[in-house]
Amino acid sequence: MNCEPPPGREPLHVTVWDEATPGAPRALLVHGTMSWGTECFAGQRPLAEMFRLELPDRRGFGDSPDTERSDYAIDAEDLGQLLGNGAHLVGHSYGAAAVMLAASARPEAVQSLTLIEPSVLRTAAGHPLVAAALDRIRAAFADPAQEWSAHEHLRRSTEPYGLPVPEPTPRLLRAARSAMRERPVWDAEIPLGPLARAAMPKAVINGTWESAHPAYREFTGEALAACGEYLAEAIGARHIRVGGAAHAPHQDRPEQVNAVLTRLWQT
């Protein structure tokens, strides 16, 4: 499935999972970096028995068109087109920035908002843990990424944090190349006022990170948890911590996250 893009852009590729009765609620699930729709949200596939799941591949990822530079603001414009007359919105990590901007621009079309491990650290920069993480991340990515190979980017994004280096498939290497050129999400300026005023049900989901490698937890995990807690309070969302999960609680503990989504989408 392709969506109607903003003028001058090629359409996105959107995978649809839908075994529900006709007219079931729609949900748009937006993946993070170095991923794509069906890979990121494979654990949510069972929800298609009750809901129509639409999984867009952001530009430069999956089966969507290439882009010179992946950008959460452009992703948000794409989502504005996909929302149509209304849908539930879910965003993971980088995808949460696009979801937040789209919901701010068209709150009347958003039936609920779920942010999973949102990486918009600048919004909570007043928190000491977040401020320190921002300094670390900015320093780590000051080295021009365009000088790395996609294989090297995969290694740098996983091995130092105790994560296994994934198999470098052509699709994953393309995702790595797109990620190397992304607009930094940690420095995204997201207006929280429109989200705080919006009446839709909202949830922010974080892992507890206790099972993650210490280097990974210390580099970003603690700051992401603090950012999630701050965002939940700032926009009037329920904050949910998923035990035994790190940056991808919907993958690490899909049954728990699916239960949260089901309750939210049935509200």
Side-chain angles (χ1 to χ4, degrees):
M1 171 183 172
N2 291 324
C3 75
E4 187 65 29
R9 296 192 194 129
E10 293 183 62
L12 293 185
H13 175 81
V14 182
T15 298
V16 177
W17 290 336
D18 184 10
E19 289 97 46
T21 57
R26 298 173 60 222
L28 299 177
L29 282 61
V30 185
H31 66 88
T33 193
M34 286 206 299
S35 185
W36 50 93
T38 57
E39 190 274 339
C40 183
F41 293 106
Q44 284 58 65
R45 185 70 173 80
L47 293 175
E49 295 179 4
M50 295 181 290
F51 307 99
R52 176 183 169 90
L53 306 184
E54 300 179 14
L55 292 76
D57 293 335
R58 294 167 41 232
R59 296 185 182 278
F61 299 90
D63 292 316
S64 281
D66 288 328
T67 183
E68 185 174 341
R69 190 187 194 199
S70 179
D71 189 320
Y72 49 79
I74 293 174
D75 295 337
E77 293 178 9
D78 288 326
L79 288 177
Q81 295 290 321
L82 272 176
L83 273 170
N85 293 327
H88 300 278
L89 269 183
V90 179
H92 173 237
S93 190
Y94 196 105
V99 160
M100 293 170 75
L101 289 174
S104 296
R106 294 195 61 205
E108 76 287 348
V110 181
Q111 294 166 357
S112 74
L113 178 68
T114 304
L115 310 176
I116 303 176
E117 285 277 317
S119 299
V120 289
L121 294 176
R122 187 172 178 175
T123 60
H127 193 292
L129 280 174
V130 178
L134 278 169
D135 289 342
R136 288 194 299 273
I137 293 168
R138 287 165 179 158
F141 286 89
D143 187 17
Q146 61 267 25
E147 296 181 3
W148 309 345
S149 68
H151 287 82
E152 177 67 5
H153 187 73
L154 279 180
R155 190 193 65 77
R156 286 175 177 246
S157 301
T158 52
E159 193 174 71
Y161 311 115
L163 300 172
V165 180
E167 180 185 355
T169 63
R171 178 168 288 225
L172 185 55
L173 289 173
R174 179 186 185 236
R177 285 190 291 271
S178 293
M180 289 161 61
R181 300 190 298 270
E182 277 183 326
R183 184 180 180 185
V185 70
W186 51 85
D187 269 327
E189 294 187 62
I190 308 290
L192 300 183
L195 297 178
R197 293 189 293 271
M200 84 282 285
K202 309 159 204 167
V204 179
I205 302 175
N206 283 100
T208 54
W209 284 84
E210 78 276 5
S211 58
H213 190 283
Y216 191 23
R217 185 171 61 246
E218 292 166 12
F219 187 72
T220 57
E222 293 171 351
L224 285 167
C227 180
E229 185 175 6
Y230 173 88
L231 281 177
E233 182 175 357
I235 68 174
R238 180 185 174 199
H239 188 222
I240 299 157
R241 300 294 299 275
V242 178
H247 190 48
H250 61 300
Q251 297 173 356
D252 297 336
R253 295 291 184 268
E255 297 86 358
Q256 293 183 41
V257 173
N258 290 353
V260 171
L261 293 175
T262 298
R263 288 194 297 270
L264 196 68
W265 295 349
Q266 290 178 334
T267 300

